[in-house]
Protein backbone atom coordinates (compact mmCIF):
# COMPACT_ATOMS: atom_id res chain seq x y z
CA UNK A 1 0.00 0.00 0.00
CA UNK A 2 1.24 3.44 -0.77
CA UNK A 3 1.00 6.39 1.48
CA UNK A 4 3.46 9.13 2.22
CA UNK A 5 7.05 8.02 2.45
CA UNK A 6 8.07 7.70 6.09
CA UNK A 7 10.43 10.66 5.64
CA UNK A 8 7.52 13.00 4.80
CA UNK A 9 5.69 11.75 7.76
CA UNK A 10 4.69 13.41 10.97
CA UNK A 11 2.99 11.32 13.65
CA UNK A 12 0.93 14.27 14.71
CA UNK A 13 -0.82 14.09 11.32
CA UNK A 14 -2.06 10.59 11.82
CA UNK A 15 -2.71 10.00 15.46
CA UNK A 16 -3.67 11.94 18.53
CA UNK A 17 -0.60 12.46 20.66
CA UNK A 18 -2.25 10.80 23.67
CA UNK A 19 -2.34 7.51 21.77
CA UNK A 20 1.37 7.12 21.26
CA UNK A 21 2.29 8.63 24.59
CA UNK A 22 0.04 6.07 26.31
CA UNK A 23 1.65 3.28 24.34
CA UNK A 24 5.10 4.34 25.53
CA UNK A 25 3.89 4.49 29.11
CA UNK A 26 2.44 1.03 28.73
CA UNK A 27 5.72 -0.40 27.45
CA UNK A 28 7.64 1.31 30.22
CA UNK A 29 5.30 -0.23 32.79
CA UNK A 30 6.11 -3.84 31.87
CA UNK A 31 8.50 -5.29 34.48
CA UNK A 32 11.89 -6.19 33.01
CA UNK A 33 11.61 -9.71 34.45
CA UNK A 34 8.39 -10.34 32.51
CA UNK A 35 10.07 -9.26 29.29
CA UNK A 36 13.08 -11.46 29.95
CA UNK A 37 10.86 -14.48 30.59
CA UNK A 38 8.99 -13.85 27.38
CA UNK A 39 12.20 -13.57 25.42
CA UNK A 40 13.39 -16.93 26.67
CA UNK A 41 10.45 -18.88 25.24
CA UNK A 42 11.99 -21.41 22.91
CA UNK A 43 11.09 -21.70 19.23
CA UNK A 44 9.32 -24.99 20.02
CA UNK A 45 6.56 -22.79 21.40
CA UNK A 46 5.53 -22.28 17.77
CA UNK A 47 3.88 -25.70 18.05
CA UNK A 48 0.58 -24.63 16.52
CA UNK A 49 1.91 -23.40 13.17
CA UNK A 50 1.30 -25.74 10.23
CA UNK A 51 -0.88 -28.21 12.16
CA UNK A 52 -3.42 -30.18 10.12
CA UNK A 53 -7.05 -29.24 10.79
CA UNK A 54 -9.33 -32.21 10.17
CA UNK A 55 -13.10 -32.77 9.80
CA UNK A 56 -13.82 -29.40 8.28
CA UNK A 57 -17.44 -28.67 7.42
CA UNK A 58 -18.21 -27.28 3.95
CA UNK A 59 -19.71 -23.79 3.77
CA UNK A 60 -22.46 -22.51 1.47
CA UNK A 61 -20.50 -19.23 1.37
CA UNK A 62 -17.59 -20.83 -0.51
CA UNK A 63 -16.91 -19.71 -4.06
CA UNK A 64 -16.37 -22.33 -6.78
CA UNK A 65 -13.64 -20.17 -8.33
CA UNK A 66 -10.19 -21.68 -8.55
CA UNK A 67 -8.08 -21.35 -5.40
CA UNK A 68 -4.74 -19.63 -5.61
CA UNK A 69 -1.88 -21.99 -4.76
CA UNK A 70 -0.62 -22.08 -1.15
CA UNK A 71 2.78 -20.86 -2.26
CA UNK A 72 1.31 -17.71 -3.81
CA UNK A 73 -0.90 -16.86 -0.83
CA UNK A 74 1.95 -17.34 1.64
CA UNK A 75 4.68 -15.41 -0.18
CA UNK A 76 2.77 -12.32 -1.37
CA UNK A 77 1.54 -10.71 1.83
CA UNK A 78 0.71 -7.41 3.38
CA UNK A 79 1.68 -7.61 7.04
CA UNK A 80 3.46 -4.37 7.75
CA UNK A 81 4.57 -5.38 11.24
CA UNK A 82 6.93 -7.69 9.32
CA UNK A 83 7.99 -5.33 6.54
CA UNK A 84 6.40 -3.19 3.87
CA UNK A 85 7.34 -5.37 0.86
CA UNK A 86 5.15 -8.29 -0.20
CA UNK A 87 7.92 -10.87 0.11
CA UNK A 88 9.09 -9.77 3.56
CA UNK A 89 6.44 -11.24 5.92
CA UNK A 90 7.16 -14.84 4.84
CA UNK A 91 10.79 -14.33 5.86
CA UNK A 92 10.53 -11.87 8.76
CA UNK A 93 7.65 -13.69 10.52
CA UNK A 94 9.18 -17.15 10.26
CA UNK A 95 9.91 -17.42 14.00
CA UNK A 96 6.88 -15.49 15.21
CA UNK A 97 5.80 -17.06 18.52
CA UNK A 98 2.07 -17.70 18.49
CA UNK A 99 1.90 -19.93 21.53
CA UNK A 100 0.94 -19.19 24.24
CA UNK A 101 -1.69 -16.83 22.81
CA UNK A 102 -4.82 -15.27 24.23
CA UNK A 103 -7.50 -13.03 22.79
CA UNK A 104 -9.18 -10.70 25.25
CA UNK A 105 -12.84 -9.99 24.47
CA UNK A 106 -14.00 -7.09 26.57
CA UNK A 107 -15.85 -3.77 26.77
CA UNK A 108 -19.63 -3.50 26.60
CA UNK A 109 -20.27 -7.19 27.29
CA UNK A 110 -21.88 -9.08 30.17
CA UNK A 111 -19.13 -11.71 30.30
CA UNK A 112 -15.71 -10.30 29.39
CA UNK A 113 -13.20 -13.07 28.96
CA UNK A 114 -9.75 -14.01 27.77
CA UNK A 115 -9.77 -16.93 25.37
CA UNK A 116 -6.70 -19.10 24.96
CA UNK A 117 -6.05 -20.01 21.34
CA UNK A 118 -6.76 -23.65 22.20
CA UNK A 119 -10.27 -22.61 23.33
CA UNK A 120 -10.80 -20.54 20.19
CA UNK A 121 -9.94 -23.55 18.04
CA UNK A 122 -12.73 -25.54 19.75
CA UNK A 123 -15.40 -22.90 20.28
CA UNK A 124 -17.45 -23.80 17.20
CA UNK A 125 -17.20 -26.40 14.42
CA UNK A 126 -14.42 -25.47 12.00
CA UNK A 127 -15.53 -24.81 8.43
CA UNK A 128 -13.62 -24.42 5.22
CA UNK A 129 -14.63 -21.19 3.53
CA UNK A 130 -13.26 -20.42 0.12
CA UNK A 131 -13.44 -16.65 -0.18
CA UNK A 132 -12.40 -14.09 -2.74
CA UNK A 133 -10.06 -11.51 -1.21
CA UNK A 134 -9.63 -8.09 -2.84
CA UNK A 135 -6.79 -5.80 -1.82
CA UNK A 136 -7.31 -2.07 -2.31
CA UNK A 137 -4.10 -2.07 -4.37
CA UNK A 138 -5.92 -3.88 -7.17
CA UNK A 139 -4.96 -7.54 -6.81
CA UNK A 140 -7.14 -10.38 -5.65
CA UNK A 141 -6.78 -13.97 -4.50
CA UNK A 142 -9.02 -16.94 -3.70
CA UNK A 143 -8.16 -18.61 -0.39
CA UNK A 144 -9.58 -21.68 1.36
CA UNK A 145 -9.75 -20.27 4.89
CA UNK A 146 -10.61 -22.31 7.97
CA UNK A 147 -12.66 -20.92 10.83
CA UNK A 148 -16.17 -20.01 11.87
CA UNK A 149 -18.32 -16.91 12.04
CA UNK A 150 -16.98 -14.22 14.36
CA UNK A 151 -20.51 -14.04 15.79
CA UNK A 152 -19.89 -17.39 17.55
CA UNK A 153 -17.13 -15.79 19.61
CA UNK A 154 -19.02 -12.54 20.23
CA UNK A 155 -22.11 -14.40 21.45
CA UNK A 156 -20.00 -16.05 24.16
CA UNK A 157 -19.38 -12.71 25.88
CA UNK A 158 -22.96 -11.40 25.53
CA UNK A 159 -22.72 -7.88 24.09
CA UNK A 160 -24.82 -5.37 26.05
CA UNK A 161 -27.16 -2.69 24.63
CA UNK A 162 -24.26 -0.20 24.75
CA UNK A 163 -22.27 -2.20 22.18
CA UNK A 164 -22.64 -0.54 18.76
CA UNK A 165 -19.21 -1.18 17.25
CA UNK A 166 -16.38 -3.67 17.62
CA UNK A 167 -12.74 -2.59 17.89
CA UNK A 168 -9.96 -5.04 16.98
CA UNK A 169 -6.28 -4.94 17.82
CA UNK A 170 -3.30 -6.90 16.48
CA UNK A 171 -0.36 -8.18 18.45
CA UNK A 172 2.52 -5.74 18.62
CA UNK A 173 5.93 -6.40 20.06
CA UNK A 174 9.06 -4.68 18.78
CA UNK A 175 11.28 -7.52 19.97
CA UNK A 176 9.49 -9.88 17.63
CA UNK A 177 8.58 -7.21 15.08
CA UNK A 178 11.54 -4.84 14.83
CA UNK A 179 10.13 -3.35 11.61
CA UNK A 180 6.81 -2.42 13.25
CA UNK A 181 7.73 1.21 13.85
CA UNK A 182 6.03 4.30 12.45
CA UNK A 183 9.34 5.62 11.13
CA UNK A 184 9.86 2.43 9.12
CA UNK A 185 6.32 1.48 8.08
CA UNK A 186 4.71 4.93 8.07
CA UNK A 187 1.90 3.44 10.15
CA UNK A 188 0.95 3.57 13.81
CA UNK A 189 1.04 0.33 15.78
CA UNK A 190 -0.61 -1.70 17.13
CA UNK A 191 -2.64 -2.22 13.95
CA UNK A 192 -6.29 -1.57 14.77
CA UNK A 193 -9.53 -2.08 12.90
CA UNK A 194 -13.23 -1.65 13.51
CA UNK A 195 -16.66 -2.77 12.38
CA UNK A 196 -20.23 -1.85 13.21
CA UNK A 197 -21.69 -4.52 15.49
CA UNK A 198 -24.13 -5.69 12.78
CA UNK A 199 -21.25 -6.12 10.32
CA UNK A 200 -19.27 -8.08 12.90
CA UNK A 201 -22.28 -10.32 13.61
CA UNK A 202 -22.88 -11.03 9.92
CA UNK A 203 -22.26 -14.75 9.23
CA UNK A 204 -19.81 -13.96 6.39
CA UNK A 205 -17.44 -12.26 8.86
CA UNK A 206 -14.98 -15.06 9.52
CA UNK A 207 -12.75 -15.62 12.49
CA UNK A 208 -10.00 -17.58 10.79
CA UNK A 209 -7.56 -19.97 12.43
CA UNK A 210 -6.32 -21.68 9.30
CA UNK A 211 -5.98 -22.00 5.55
CA UNK A 212 -5.53 -24.97 3.19
CA UNK A 213 -6.69 -27.31 6.00
CA UNK A 214 -3.85 -26.24 8.30
CA UNK A 215 -3.37 -23.69 11.07
CA UNK A 216 -2.39 -20.26 9.73
CA UNK A 217 1.22 -19.58 8.81
CA UNK A 218 2.60 -16.50 10.60
CA UNK A 219 2.67 -14.30 7.51
CA UNK A 220 -1.07 -14.79 7.01
CA UNK A 221 -1.96 -13.70 10.53
CA UNK A 222 -1.37 -16.66 12.87
CA UNK A 223 -2.83 -17.81 15.08
CA UNK A 224 -6.17 -16.03 14.58
CA UNK A 225 -7.37 -13.23 12.30
CA UNK A 226 -10.45 -11.76 10.68
CA UNK A 227 -11.48 -12.34 7.07
CA UNK A 228 -14.11 -9.94 5.72
CA UNK A 229 -14.48 -10.87 2.06
CA UNK A 230 -16.79 -7.98 1.06
CA UNK A 231 -14.29 -5.38 2.29
CA UNK A 232 -10.85 -4.36 1.04
CA UNK A 233 -8.13 -6.59 2.42
CA UNK A 234 -6.77 -4.20 5.01
CA UNK A 235 -9.96 -4.59 7.09
CA UNK A 236 -9.06 -8.27 7.62
CA UNK A 237 -6.84 -7.70 10.63
CA UNK A 238 -4.19 -10.30 11.44
CA UNK A 239 -2.85 -11.85 14.65
CA UNK A 240 -5.66 -10.65 16.89
CA UNK A 241 -5.09 -10.11 20.60
CA UNK A 242 -7.98 -7.85 21.58
CA UNK A 243 -11.62 -7.42 20.65
CA UNK A 244 -13.52 -4.65 22.41
CA UNK A 245 -17.22 -3.92 22.13
CA UNK A 246 -17.69 -0.15 22.20
CA UNK A 247 -20.29 2.59 21.78
CA UNK A 248 -18.51 4.80 19.23
CA UNK A 249 -16.82 4.25 15.86
CA UNK A 250 -13.36 2.80 16.53
CA UNK A 251 -10.18 4.01 14.78
CA UNK A 252 -8.71 2.03 11.88
CA UNK A 253 -5.01 2.04 11.09
CA UNK A 254 -5.09 2.80 7.35
CA UNK A 255 -7.98 5.19 7.70
CA UNK A 256 -5.98 7.13 10.34
CA UNK A 257 -2.92 7.17 8.09
CA UNK A 258 -4.69 8.50 5.00
CA UNK A 259 -8.47 9.00 5.15
CA UNK A 260 -9.06 9.91 1.47
CA UNK A 261 -7.33 6.71 0.37
CA UNK A 262 -8.69 4.32 2.98
CA UNK A 263 -12.26 4.77 4.11
CA UNK A 264 -13.60 3.56 7.42
CA UNK A 265 -16.11 1.19 5.81
CA UNK A 266 -13.92 0.12 2.89
CA UNK A 267 -16.57 -2.03 1.30
CA UNK A 268 -15.35 -3.20 -2.12
CA UNK A 269 -17.00 -0.85 -4.60
CA UNK A 270 -16.03 -0.66 -8.29
CA UNK A 271 -17.88 2.67 -8.60
CA UNK A 272 -15.85 4.54 -6.00
CA UNK A 273 -12.25 5.09 -7.04
CA UNK A 274 -9.57 5.91 -4.60
CA UNK A 275 -7.16 8.81 -5.29
CA UNK A 276 -4.43 6.39 -6.34
CA UNK A 277 -6.03 3.13 -7.42
CA UNK A 278 -8.97 2.61 -9.76
CA UNK A 279 -11.28 0.09 -8.10
CA UNK A 280 -13.16 -0.84 -11.30
CA UNK A 281 -10.96 -3.82 -12.16
CA UNK A 282 -8.54 -6.17 -10.45
CA UNK A 283 -5.83 -8.67 -11.29
CA UNK A 284 -6.17 -12.14 -9.80
CA UNK A 285 -2.69 -13.27 -8.70
CA UNK A 286 -1.36 -15.73 -11.27
CA UNK A 287 -3.41 -14.21 -14.10
CA UNK A 288 -2.49 -11.61 -16.64
CA UNK A 289 -5.76 -10.03 -17.68
CA UNK A 290 -7.71 -7.75 -15.40
CA UNK A 291 -11.25 -8.68 -14.50
CA UNK A 292 -14.08 -6.41 -13.41
CA UNK A 293 -14.38 -5.89 -9.67
CA UNK A 294 -17.82 -6.75 -8.35
CA UNK A 295 -19.92 -4.72 -5.92
CA UNK A 296 -19.12 -5.90 -2.38
CA UNK A 297 -16.55 -8.16 -4.04
CA UNK A 298 -19.37 -10.38 -5.31
CA UNK A 299 -21.03 -10.75 -1.88
CA UNK A 300 -23.82 -8.21 -2.49
CA UNK A 301 -26.58 -10.81 -2.08
CA UNK A 302 -25.34 -11.49 1.44
CA UNK A 303 -24.32 -8.05 2.71
CA UNK A 304 -25.98 -5.27 0.67
CA UNK A 305 -28.87 -5.07 3.15
CA UNK A 306 -26.42 -4.01 5.89
CA UNK A 307 -25.94 -0.74 4.00
CA UNK A 308 -29.50 0.00 2.85
CA UNK A 309 -30.03 3.76 2.87
CA UNK A 310 -26.33 4.55 3.35
CA UNK A 311 -24.65 6.82 0.77
CA UNK A 312 -21.80 4.52 -0.31
CA UNK A 313 -19.90 7.34 -2.08
CA UNK A 314 -19.76 9.34 1.13
CA UNK A 315 -19.36 6.34 3.43
CA UNK A 316 -16.65 4.70 1.35
N1 LIG B 1 -2.03 -6.61 11.61
C1 LIG B 1 -2.12 -6.46 10.28
N2 LIG B 1 -3.18 -6.97 9.63
C2 LIG B 1 -3.29 -6.84 8.27
C3 LIG B 1 -2.30 -6.13 7.53
C4 LIG B 1 -1.19 -5.61 8.25
O1 LIG B 1 -0.27 -4.98 7.68
N3 LIG B 1 -1.12 -5.80 9.62
N4 LIG B 1 -2.44 -5.99 6.16
C5 LIG B 1 -3.82 -6.08 5.62
C6 LIG B 1 -3.86 -6.10 4.16
S1 LIG B 1 -3.55 -4.63 3.36
C7 LIG B 1 -4.24 -7.20 3.45
S2 LIG B 1 -4.43 -7.16 1.76
C8 LIG B 1 -4.43 -8.51 4.14
C9 LIG B 1 -3.51 -9.55 3.50
O2 LIG B 1 -3.77 -10.83 4.04
P1 LIG B 1 -2.94 -12.10 3.49
O3 LIG B 1 -1.50 -11.74 3.53
O4 LIG B 1 -3.28 -13.25 4.38
O5 LIG B 1 -3.41 -12.34 2.08
O6 LIG B 1 -4.14 -8.46 5.53
C10 LIG B 1 -4.58 -7.28 6.20
N5 LIG B 1 -4.36 -7.40 7.63
MO1 LIG C 1 -4.41 -4.87 1.19
Amino acid sequence: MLIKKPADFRYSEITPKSLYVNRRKFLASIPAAALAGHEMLSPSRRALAGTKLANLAKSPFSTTEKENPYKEVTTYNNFWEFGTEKDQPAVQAKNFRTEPWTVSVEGAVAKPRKFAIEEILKLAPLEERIYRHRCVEGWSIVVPWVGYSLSALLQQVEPTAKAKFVAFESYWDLRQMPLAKPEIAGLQFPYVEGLRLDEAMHPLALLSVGMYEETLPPQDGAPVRLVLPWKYGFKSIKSLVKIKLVGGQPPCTWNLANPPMYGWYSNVNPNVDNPRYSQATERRLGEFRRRPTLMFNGYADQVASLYAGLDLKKNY
Side-chain angles (χ1 to χ4, degrees):
M1 305 188 106
L2 267 169
I3 54 167
K4 290 181 188 176
K5 285 206 280 335
D8 317 324
F9 217 86
R10 292 197 355 258
Y11 301 169
S12 54
E13 284 174 21
I14 58 165
T15 194
K17 189 163 185 228
S18 62
L19 275 184
Y20 60 85
V21 170
N22 279 339
R23 172 56 51 176
R24 275 208 298 266
K25 272 196 210 135
F26 168 73
L27 284 176
S29 72
I30 301 174
L35 293 181
H38 188 67
E39 278 288 71
M40 286 182 322
L41 292 176
S42 74
S44 65
R45 289 290 192 122
R46 292 183 282 119
L48 282 172
T51 303
K52 182 88 184 156
L53 296 168
N55 303 320
L56 304 177
K58 296 244 175 292
S59 167
F61 293 132
S62 286
T63 174
T64 54
E65 286 175 55
K66 192 164 128 295
E67 292 169 14
N68 284 83
Y70 180 88
K71 177 89 189 185
E72 216 158 42
V73 173
T74 56
T75 54
Y76 191 85
N77 300 102
N78 274 334
F79 198 170
W80 283 40
E81 288 88 331
F82 293 109
T84 58
E85 301 298 325
K86 300 283 185 292
D87 57 353
Q88 279 183 300
V91 178
Q92 299 290 334
K94 208 171 232 137
N95 296 320
F96 182 41
R97 285 186 298 261
T98 56
E99 209 249 301
W101 192 277
T102 57
V103 180
S104 175
V105 190
E106 55 190 70
V109 298
K111 297 180 171 165
R113 214 180 117 185
K114 287 189 170 63
F115 294 86
I117 188 63
E118 293 79 3
E119 295 176 274
I120 289 176
L121 281 158
K122 286 185 290 199
L123 204 71
L126 294 180
E127 298 169 26
E128 177 170 82
R129 294 210 196 162
I130 308 167
Y131 279 170
R132 286 182 293 275
H133 177 98
R134 170 66 159 78
C135 178
V136 73
E137 295 163 324
W139 50 273
S140 65
I141 47 178
V142 174
V143 182
W145 301 105
V146 177
Y148 48 77
S149 296
L150 172 65
S151 62
L153 179 72
L154 296 179
Q155 275 154 9
Q156 296 272 323
V157 297
E158 298 176 14
T160 67
K162 289 202 180 98
K164 305 287 186 226
F165 294 87
V166 190
F168 302 91
E169 188 176 310
S170 291
Y171 185 85
W172 184 50
D173 175 1
L174 285 171
R175 288 157 300 150
Q176 289 209 67
M177 301 164 158
L179 302 175
K181 292 182 179 153
E183 59 273 32
I184 294 174
L187 281 185
Q188 286 300 128
F189 296 102
Y191 195 100
V192 291
E193 258 304 333
L195 294 171
R196 284 190 338 219
L197 182 60
D198 61 340
E199 298 181 298
M201 294 300 265
H202 192 283
L204 260 189
L206 182 71
L207 190 69
S208 174
V209 294
M211 54 171 30
Y212 302 88
E213 301 180 24
E214 285 181 5
T215 51
L216 286 171
Q219 61 269 39
D220 288 279
V224 57
R225 66 172 296 174
L226 288 191
V227 184
L228 307 163
W230 72 99
K231 292 179 177 281
Y232 292 117
F234 66 88
K235 298 291 292 182
S236 293
I237 184 171
K238 294 177 170 178
S239 303
L240 274 173
V241 291
K242 190 155 105 182
I243 300 177
K244 188 169 184 183
L245 289 276
V246 293
Q249 185 172 298
C252 299
T253 292
W254 282 102
N255 178 242
L256 285 176
N258 194 334
M261 293 259 304
Y262 311 109
W264 189 84
Y265 275 96
S266 279
N267 293 315
V268 174
N269 189 337
N271 310 313
V272 177
D273 278 342
N274 136 326
R276 186 179 296 269
Y277 308 106
S278 161
Q279 300 302 349
T281 64
E282 68 198 56
R283 193 178 72 83
R284 184 67 46 86
L285 289 195
E287 292 181 1
F288 196 67
R289 69 184 175 104
R290 294 184 75 86
R291 57 172 77 206
T293 286
L294 303 175
M295 190 63 204
F296 296 113
N297 200 26
Y299 297 95
D301 286 351
Q302 284 80 34
V303 300
S305 63
L306 289 172
Y307 310 103
L310 194 72
D311 181 343
L312 297 175
K313 292 214 152 85
K314 244 187 228 152
N315 301 281
Y316 59 91

